[in-house]
């Protein structure tokens, strides 16, 4: 019985050893993967060693080299007399290769220990992922609120060349207080996007979303808003503050405000009222027939226009239609640049209607509202969630006068938009419905790949 146990233990150790060896060999060969710019520099290094050796040989007139070669020849001749050349040759070659691989492995291990002291990933895996992400398509996302940060959280897995264009019309909560008291542009939506694009997302999200619960004047403020406000004062404006914080947080991509103007939204309701202020529009509870901003034609940030012109893919939404998505498009230069773009453009429609903004809206109503605000069609496809929420969620939302956005296929088709149907919803245990970041990004990436190949 003890002998059988020992045999099983030895077999298990052998299998484990083989697995480790196989994994290690795979890691070695990954360094030869295309796109890492490793092979060319390795060959250049070898060429440098050969040239240096040749130069040294010429300089000393080959005398030391001749005697060294003679010494090696005599040594090798002695070895081959004892062990045949067809055995000793491959054996010495194998030993040399093993020493080379061992030395390189130890070198890379030492570098990895310094660069990633607590990381579980191999350095080569990190490099390969970095190359893949930074060779991804240039994606421009447009919106605000929690919808845009949800989208970014999923998209950053596919590309690091992401530009998030964020509205600066927010005037409620902590952002509104800072805007009124200090005169800065509202940092709330920008804060959410920075946290979503950061590598250490969980920790940074908790830090940036942390709200002070005590303190004279601090209660209700989030740390992220105060951080960006302080950086804006130090660097001179919000654009520089975002760039500086992006470096600190090591985010994948960039976050840009749609404009640096002090934009304030206004809306005309069907009952004739004119409501001013982003937070007041939703609270008014009416049917919005027209929306605009003061000043009427705010200038776009030059970096925003540059990003749109260079974009391979443009995504609008999800998010509050009139207070998150459309405010970006009220900047005429942004709307014109999107309309002129030849990149695939898609609008991610909300799953549920929003009281005070889109009550009783269908998918086509969302599209018409965007077209009316901009005066031109800006996207050629719309992503609509396919599956209905659970009865529990429907009851919860019905109490708030909110319902699933109905897909009126014929009207959407008549508006000249392709319909992309997919299950992209996440519903938590309380019945709260949101877009699932991973599912949403996967569907958008698949649609982009199809549209890109179809060109």
């Amino acid at each position: 019985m003890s002998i059988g146990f020992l045999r099983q233990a030895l077999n298990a150790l052998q299998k484990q050893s083989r697995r480790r060896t196989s994994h290690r060999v795979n890691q070695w060969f990954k360094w030869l993967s295309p796109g890492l710019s490793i092979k060319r520099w390795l060959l250049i290094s070898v060429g440098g060693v050969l040239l240096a050796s040749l130069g040294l040989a010429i300089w000393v007139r080959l005398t030391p080299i001749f005697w060294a070669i003679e010494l090696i020849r005599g040594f090798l001749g002695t070895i081959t007399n004892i062990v045949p050349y067809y055995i000793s040759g491959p054996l010495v070659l194998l030993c040399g290769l093993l020493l080379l691989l061992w030395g390189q492995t130890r070198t890379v291990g030492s570098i990895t220990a310094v660069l990633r002291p607590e990381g579980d990933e191999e350095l080569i895996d990190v490099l390969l992922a970095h190359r893949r992400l930074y060779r991804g398509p240039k994606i421009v996302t447009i919106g605000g609120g929690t919808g845009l940060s949800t989208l970014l959280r999923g998209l950053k897995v596919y590309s690091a060349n992401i530009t998030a264009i964020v509205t600066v019309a927010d005037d409620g909560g902590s952002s509104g207080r800072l805007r009124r008291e200090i005169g800065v542009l509202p940092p709330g939506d920008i804060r959410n996007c920075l946290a979503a694009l950061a590598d250490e997302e969980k920790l940074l999200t908790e830090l940036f979303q942390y709200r002070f619960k005590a303190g004279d004047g601090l209660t209700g403020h989030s740390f992220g808003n105060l951080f960006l406000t302080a950086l804006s004062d130090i660097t001179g404006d919000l654009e520089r503050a975002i760039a500086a914080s992006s470096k600190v947080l090591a985010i994948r991509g960039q976050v840009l405000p749609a404009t640096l103007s002090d934009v304030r939204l206004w809306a005309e309701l069907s009952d004739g009222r004119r409501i001013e202020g982003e937070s007041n529009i939703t609270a008014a509870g009416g049917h919005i027939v027209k929306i605009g901003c003061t000043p009427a034609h705010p200038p776009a940030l030059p970096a925003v226009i540059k990003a749109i012109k260079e974009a391979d893919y443009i995504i609008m939404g999800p998010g509050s239609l009139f207070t998150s998505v459309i405010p970006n498009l009220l900047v005429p230069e942004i709307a014109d640049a999107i309309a002129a773009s030849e990149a695939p453009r898609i609008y991610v429609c909300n799953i549920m209607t929003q009281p005070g903004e889109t009550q009783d809206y269908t998918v086509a109503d969302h599209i018409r509202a965007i077209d009316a605000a901009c005066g031109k069609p800006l996207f050629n496809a719309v992503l609509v969630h396919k599956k209905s929420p659970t009865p529990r969620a429907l009851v919860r939302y019905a109490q708030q006068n909110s319902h699933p956005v109905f897909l009126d296929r014929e009207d959407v088709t008549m508006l000249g938009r392709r319909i992309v149907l997919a299950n992209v919803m996440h519903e938590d245990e309380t019945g709260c419905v949101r877009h699932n970041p991973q599912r949403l990004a996967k569907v958008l990436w698949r649609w982009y790949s199809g549209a890109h190949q179809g060109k």
Side-chain angles (χ1 to χ4, degrees), residues 266-276 280-291 322 356-357 359:
W266 57 262
E268 292 180 2
L269 307 184
S270 57
D271 57 9
R273 287 182 294 165
R274 179 186 169 98
I275 308 297
E276 296 192 1
N280 297 327
I281 291 173
T282 303
H287 181 76
I288 300 170
V289 294
K290 188 176 181 180
I291 192 158
F322 288 102
E357 285 201 34
Q359 59 268 29

Side-chain angles (χ1 to χ4, degrees), residues 1 36 51 72 98 122 171 212 240 251 290 293-294 309 332 362 371 387:
M1 184 174 179
L36 278 178
L51 281 176
I72 293 171
L98 288 175
E122 294 278 354
D171 62 2
F212 294 92
R240 292 191 184 95
I251 73 166
K290 188 176 181 180
C293 65
T294 306
K309 288 181 177 179
T362 63
D371 289 352
K387 189 177 178 181

Side-chain angles (χ1 to χ4, degrees), residues 45-63:
S45 300
V46 171
V49 171
L50 292 175
L51 281 176
S53 302
L54 179 61
L56 180 62
I58 294 171
W59 190 15
V60 299
R61 298 183 180 180
L62 300 178
T63 305

